[in-house]
């Protein structure tokens, strides 16, 4: 039910933004989802259709853009994209720490009418 809460928050933000912009309808919402986010696209769209009923966001399409997870090595101080296998720093081979990117879920932009 993780998506339920996430989608509810998403609609609240979208509706508020649309209201500020004086829009009567939202036609498209572009979302950014981190690779490591547990959010599933299909579930979000399903909850979105259900929860947006009666709001300006109802009937809007959702577009998802996945961004890859990034790790930080505290020894080298570098940031790197998650390697295909494991989480090791490409420079020193020590295990990297996960940064906030990769877990994000937010609205990138919207199209309104
Ligand atoms: Zn390193």
């Amino acid at each position: 039910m993780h998506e339920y809460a996430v989608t509810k928050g998403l609609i609240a933000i979208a509706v508020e933004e649309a209201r500020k912009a004086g829009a009567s309808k939202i036609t498209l919402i572009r979302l950014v989802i981190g690779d490591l986010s547990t959010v599933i696209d299909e579930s979000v769209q399903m909850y979105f259709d259900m929860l947006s009923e009666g709001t300006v966001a109802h009937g809007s399409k959702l577009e998802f853009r996945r961004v890859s997870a990034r790790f930080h090595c505290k020894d080298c101080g570098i940031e790197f994209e998650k390697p295909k296998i494991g989480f090791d720093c490409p420079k020193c081979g020590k295990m990297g720490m996960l940064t906030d990117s990769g877990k994000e879920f937010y609205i990138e932009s919207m199209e309104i009418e």
Side-chain angles (χ1 to χ4, degrees), residues 92-110:
C92 71
K94 283 194 185 132
M95 196 165 113
M97 308 288 288
L98 184 62
T99 66
D100 282 339
S101 67
K103 286 188 285 189
E104 55 266 272
F105 182 84
Y106 61 88
I107 298 175
E108 189 172 50
S109 64
M110 298 195 320

Side-chain angles (χ1 to χ4, degrees), residues 73 75-76 78 89 91-94:
C73 175
D75 290 319
C76 310
I78 60 162
C89 171
K91 245 172 123 182
C92 71
K94 283 194 185 132

